[in-house]
Amino acid sequence: KAGVTQTPRYLIKTRGQQVTLSCSPISGHRSVSWYQQTPGQGLQFLFEYFSETQRNKGNFPGRFSGRQFSNSRSEMNVSTLELGDSALYLCASIRDSLLTDTQYFGPGTRLTVL
Amino acid sequence: AQKVTQAQTEISVVEKEDVTLDCVYETRDTTYYLFWYKQPPSGELVFLIRRNSFDEQNEISGRYSWNFQKSTSSFNFTITASQVVDSAVYFCALSGLNDYKLSFGAGTTVTVRA
């Protein structure tokens, strides 16, 4: 079974630009979560989507947004990039049964903002 | 609010030594899940173990074992007979029963020297 895939793996942008990151979950998994990892703040939860609906959101500004498509693939968008947005963005895929399932992570997208 | 504390920032051992990673958590939830993830230099978070708050039985899985003590809010993880391939950053994480938001500790960098 293929794992979680994220594209692109590396991205370089300049301040003020916007960026879109993509995540394809494990086949059959219906929920996708996004996390930001920085040296200073560590791993922080961004948001979680299930059936094209955002179910949970972390404490990030409105510049960070996401969506999920009918095939469970998800994208996250960051507008008006700031230097502090440089981070590893990780996507996690969850099967979503009645009980909490384990989240399986993709390799991440490393975003550098210049 | 949930909080996970990993007091050890770095641990360095020689191959075949045992390594124990400490994790202390705080949560107001009566039921929750605890996890350990490994992050090798490639960046992907690799799931290792998951524990329910209502099951304090400690187990061993191959070279991994864990000690969950609800009374002290601790969820320690041990690698027995460490190998160079175990070198990575290890994260302890916590989530609610039906909440896919993972709260991570700051991580412990483990270096296993040959």
Side-chain angles (χ1 to χ4, degrees):
Chain A
K1 199 180 226 184
V4 180
T5 58
Q6 291 187 246
T7 57
R9 292 293 311 278
Y10 302 91
L11 206 49
I12 299 176
K13 292 286 188 178
T14 56
R15 278 180 300 174
Q17 287 186 310
Q18 74 165 21
V19 68
T20 299
L21 312 181
S22 180
C23 171
S24 293
I26 294 170
S27 177
H29 284 201
R30 302 161 66 194
S31 176
V32 171
S33 289
W34 289 88
Y35 292 82
Q36 181 197 63
Q37 185 177 23
T38 60
Q41 299 299 316
L43 279 154
Q44 294 184 288
F45 172 78
L46 280 158
F47 26 65
E48 184 241 336
Y49 286 87
F50 174 75
S51 289
E52 303 177 63
T53 301
Q54 186 181 90
R55 286 200 299 197
N56 207 344
K57 188 178 189 304
N59 190 24
F60 278 82
R63 300 186 296 107
F64 292 82
S65 62
R67 59 177 176 169
Q68 186 181 34
F69 302 94
S70 57
N71 62 356
S72 296
R73 190 177 70 84
S74 176
E75 289 181 348
M76 69 162 280
N77 184 275
V78 187
S79 63
T80 319
L81 284 166
E82 300 177 0
L83 295 179
D85 297 332
S86 294
L88 179 66
Y89 289 88
L90 292 161
C91 163
S93 162
I94 310 141
R95 185 178 55 190
D96 198 77
S97 62
L98 291 176
L99 297 176
T100 301
D101 274 318
T102 297
Q103 299 189 40
Y104 295 94
F105 285 81
T109 294
R110 187 165 294 281
L111 172 65
T112 302
V113 182
L114 302 175
Chain B
Q2 297 178 329
K3 183 180 179 181
V4 177
T5 302
Q6 293 179 251
Q8 303 151 308
T9 305
E10 295 183 30
I11 297 177
S12 181
V13 298
V14 176
E15 209 169 16
K16 297 185 183 176
E17 288 185 350
D18 295 348
V19 180
T20 294
L21 308 179
D22 299 334
C23 174
V24 175
Y25 62 92
E26 295 175 29
T27 180
R28 294 178 190 160
D29 295 339
T30 54
T31 51
Y32 46 88
Y33 284 90
L34 293 161
F35 302 80
W36 277 97
Y37 282 89
K38 169 185 177 180
Q39 187 175 44
S42 61
E44 181 175 350
L45 279 171
V46 178
F47 165 73
L48 296 176
I49 56 174
R50 182 181 84 169
R51 207 78 199 130
N52 309 328
S53 59
F54 41 87
D55 182 0
E56 288 193 64
Q57 182 178 352
N58 295 310
E59 293 184 17
I60 297 173
S61 176
R63 295 188 299 110
Y64 299 152
S65 62
W66 48 95
N67 187 341
F68 174 38
Q69 292 193 353
K70 204 168 181 178
S71 60
T72 58
S73 297
S74 66
F75 185 51
N76 298 336
F77 176 70
T78 297
I79 305 171
T80 302
S82 62
Q83 301 173 2
V84 173
V85 293
D86 295 327
S87 296
V89 183
Y90 289 80
F91 292 94
C92 180
L94 167 72
S95 76
L97 188 63
N98 287 306
D99 180 352
Y100 294 124
K101 174 183 176 180
L102 284 170
S103 297
F104 285 91
T108 299
T109 300
V110 173
T111 302
V112 181
R113 309 185 307 275

